[in-house]
Amino acid sequence: MKSFASLRWLWAVLLAAPLFLQYLPEKQRAPKPAAKPNILFIFADDQRADALGIAGNTVVKTPNIDQLAKSGTRFANCYVMGGHHGAICAPSRAMLMSGKSLFHVYDVLDGVHTMPQHFAENGYETFGTGKWHNGGPTFEASFQKGKAVMLGGMSDHFQVPVRDLNNGKLGEPVVKGFSTDIFTEAALSYIDEYAKGKKANPFFCYIAYTAPHDPRSPREDYIGKYPEKDIPLPGNFKPVHPFDYGEAQVRDENLAPWPRTPEVVKATLSDYYGLISHLDARVGDIIQSLKEKGLYDNTIIVYAADNGLAVGSHGLLGKQSLYEHSMKVPFIITGPGIPQSRVSNALVYLYDIFPTLASVAGLPKPEAVDGKSLSEVISGKSRGVRESSFTAYRNLIRAVRDEEWKLIRYPNRDYTQLFNLKKDPLELENLSGKAEYRQKEESLKKLLIQWQQQTGDTAAYTAKTILPLQYDPTKAERTMDKFQPKYTQDRYFKK
């Protein structure tokens, strides 16, 4: 009888335990293992860092991306390190996906351990859609699932060749349009499928838009959203770039005639902003889907872009320069554990994002990466991870900056620019050669050469053959690429 009574007493205690535990103070309860966060990575194409309302742009409307920044942390000094050729999108994405710097990785990522692979190896389900400029086989190696994947650098937004990933292989391309809508719908379809499934593993969802990259042909309902009369010119607008540095006729620079007129730059910005606002609206749709499906609260969201763009600044249209407008990109991170409404001025690179996401998601540190985790910057424990940053474009330009100063060097022209970014953020007053700044210029020169040695850059500070700075861009013949639709042909190419 005693043993029976003991059993009854034990059974009563077991039944009452849950009721008793709920009244225990939080600190006395055994902690639940934290669920790994989902990752939603949104990557824009050719978007300047200042082409967001939250970044101080008073014209373009980006309420959904602005809200991501308000709910998280925005990095105001994020850079792409540069490029080996005019299509900076490719090396930028290679650096992003590998966590390696410009001189340690090339465009095609064959045999390179990528960010989505790292997440998959650590229990994540991986999905990708949109632009992939780093070779089809590397997409297949990097993602478990994929839909509406565009291989290559660009296309007509209304005629996008996209492929689906089936059984680990990308299929034949099917032409669809509009790009921003195709990639959004693919992502929404994946999120819906994931939400209806077992959700056994967290997801890593990568959405790589081709907007606002040209052709500057917004969807019809976004054409004219920004009247040209209401658009101010960039503060560093110039009709032509003041000297030749070797890229006067790269493809991007053929998108408008020389000299650049206020009218054509305002028209370009109108279309550029239209593409961005369309993208912002679809970002809002994705965020809303996460909320409706109960996934938002445990999802870390990153918004970034591969490179900036001149669109009229310094007489340029493209990204093939080392001015701030072309190398600086948006970078926003929000989600569980990320402080809200914070802006960091730390000098960071896109290739820092891989180790950063691994850290904030609680994954092992990826091996053989050059990027630095920004987790302590995000948490507020540190102000930064480096005191200066270095950028490079082909063998034509090198640049280095610290918190206040920036030096740009053109080896083939034996020409230098020196800017005080705090006083002259638009990079208009070249202080190089002035006696009072000689010491600063010399110290930045040494810093630039030090960066070259550390990164494996072998370009000389001064080339053996020096080419002239003088040129006449108005005599250049314009060529039109095959991707321009009738809208841009009529608007920018007809005389």
Side-chain angles (χ1 to χ4, degrees):
M1 290 294 291
K2 282 185 179 180
S3 63
F4 179 71
S6 298
L7 284 172
R8 286 182 63 187
W9 176 83
L10 179 61
W11 183 248
V13 168
L14 289 172
L15 286 174
L19 276 171
F20 172 74
L21 285 172
Q22 72 176 316
Y23 293 105
L24 277 177
E26 287 285 340
K27 289 183 180 178
Q28 294 182 30
R29 296 186 208 176
K32 291 183 180 179
K36 281 190 167 62
N38 303 309
I39 305 292
L40 176 69
F41 199 124
I42 304 170
F43 208 42
D45 196 348
D46 279 12
Q47 185 174 7
R48 293 171 57 130
D50 61 4
L52 290 171
I54 196 74
N57 191 307
T58 58
V59 179
V60 67
K61 306 302 179 189
T62 53
N64 295 297
I65 302 169
D66 293 352
Q67 184 55 42
L68 292 179
K70 291 172 185 175
S71 66
T73 297
R74 179 171 67 89
F75 285 86
N77 288 315
C78 181
Y79 292 86
V80 56
M81 196 177 197
H84 309 287
H85 49 72
I88 290 175
C89 315
S92 174
R93 290 155 196 269
M95 288 185 277
L96 172 78
M97 284 291 159
S98 68
K100 296 178 183 289
S101 63
L102 180 64
F103 298 98
H104 294 162
V105 70
Y106 201 68
D107 301 0
V108 178
L109 293 169
D110 290 343
V112 176
H113 184 252
T114 65
M115 176 163 46
Q117 282 177 313
H118 188 69
F119 275 80
E121 290 163 2
N122 287 280
Y124 275 72
E125 178 178 303
T126 58
F127 170 85
T129 184
K131 176 174 172 175
W132 185 261
H133 206 178
N134 305 104
T138 60
F139 184 92
E140 295 167 348
S142 295
F143 292 95
Q144 299 160 345
K145 297 183 177 184
K147 187 175 182 181
V149 178
M150 190 203 86
L151 299 180
M154 64 178 292
S155 73
D156 178 344
H157 289 295
F158 294 91
Q159 299 287 323
V160 188
V162 293
R163 307 161 189 257
D164 292 345
L165 184 68
N166 292 305
N167 300 316
K169 293 293 180 183
L170 288 167
E172 292 300 310
V174 177
V175 176
K176 297 181 180 180
F178 190 87
S179 66
T180 301
D181 296 321
I182 297 168
F183 306 141
T184 302
E185 293 303 322
L188 289 172
S189 174
Y190 169 72
I191 292 168
D192 184 61
E193 174 191 306
Y194 178 86
K196 290 176 179 176
K198 295 181 179 179
K199 299 187 281 292
N201 301 89
F203 66 73
F204 179 99
C205 176
Y206 176 68
I207 312 167
Y209 288 100
T210 52
H213 194 295
D214 71 281
R216 307 221 207 286
S217 51
R219 201 177 67 185
E220 292 88 340
D221 49 334
Y222 284 89
I223 292 174
K225 176 178 174 62
Y226 297 97
E228 293 157 34
K229 64 180 178 61
D230 298 333
I231 297 177
L233 287 171
N236 46 14
F237 165 77
K238 293 179 184 293
V240 297
H241 192 264
F243 58 91
D244 182 15
Y245 60 90
E247 286 290 59
Q249 276 205 277
V250 70
R251 188 202 70 86
D252 294 31
E253 299 305 328
N254 281 266
L255 296 174
W258 302 272
R260 318 301 192 192
T261 64
E263 291 75 21
V264 78
V265 168
K266 288 184 176 189
T268 299
L269 286 168
S270 172
D271 290 332
Y272 185 64
Y273 291 158
L275 287 163
I276 291 170
S277 282
H278 181 191
L279 170 58
D280 178 82
R282 297 317 313 258
V283 167
D285 292 338
I286 294 168
I287 304 307
Q288 184 60 32
S289 177
L290 290 176
K291 290 179 177 178
E292 290 172 354
K293 292 172 173 54
L295 300 170
Y296 178 80
D297 289 339
N298 194 40
T299 298
I300 289 174
I301 302 169
V302 170
Y303 185 90
D306 56 357
N307 48 255
L309 207 64
V311 275
S313 294
H314 291 103
L316 303 170
L317 293 177
K319 59 262 188 183
Q320 297 83 4
S321 74
L322 299 186
Y323 295 114
E324 296 289 285
H325 50 66
S326 294
M327 290 294 105
K328 189 182 284 191
V329 297
F331 172 27
I332 295 165
I333 183 168
T334 184
I338 308 298
Q340 296 186 10
S341 298
R342 284 197 65 232
V343 179
S344 169
N345 289 313
L347 298 172
V348 306
Y349 287 114
L350 284 172
Y351 64 77
D352 293 329
I353 295 178
F354 179 2
T356 300
L357 283 179
S359 177
V360 298
L363 273 57
K365 181 181 177 181
E367 297 179 2
V369 298
D370 300 317
K372 299 177 183 294
S373 172
L374 306 173
S375 58
E376 291 198 350
V377 180
I378 291 169
S379 68
K381 293 179 181 178
S382 172
R383 289 186 66 248
V385 292
R386 57 181 64 85
E387 294 181 357
S388 60
S389 63
F390 169 70
T391 49
Y393 177 64
R394 294 184 56 193
N395 65 340
L396 301 176
I397 328 174
R398 296 294 182 268
V400 69
R401 69 155 293 184
D402 58 21
E403 190 174 336
E404 182 175 0
W405 291 88
K406 179 174 178 180
L407 181 141
I408 307 178
R409 178 65 180 173
Y410 302 85
N412 295 340
R413 266 70 186 175
D414 190 19
Y415 186 71
T416 303
Q417 292 171 308
L418 177 67
F419 300 110
N420 184 317
L421 292 177
K422 282 196 172 179
K423 296 178 180 178
D424 179 25
L426 297 179
E427 298 166 291
L428 290 170
E429 185 182 2
N430 183 11
L431 302 174
S432 174
K434 295 188 176 184
E436 60 266 44
Y437 302 110
R438 188 172 296 138
Q439 187 175 350
K440 173 55 67 176
E441 183 172 339
E442 188 61 28
S443 69
L444 286 173
K445 174 184 175 180
K446 290 178 181 177
L447 183 60
L448 189 149
I449 293 171
Q450 185 179 38
W451 265 100
Q452 289 184 286
Q453 293 168 345
Q454 291 173 352
T455 58
D457 176 19
T458 59
Y461 192 80
T462 303
K464 291 181 180 179
T465 303
I466 303 302
L467 301 173
L469 290 166
Q470 297 75 24
Y471 76 126
D472 185 356
T474 62
K475 293 181 179 178
E477 288 189 20
R478 290 177 71 204
T479 57
M480 182 178 70
D481 63 75
K482 64 181 180 179
F483 300 111
Q484 302 299 322
K486 187 176 186 303
Y487 174 79
T488 55
Q489 289 180 35
D490 292 345
R491 188 160 166 81
Y492 298 110
F493 288 92
K494 284 192 176 179
K495 293 182 180 179

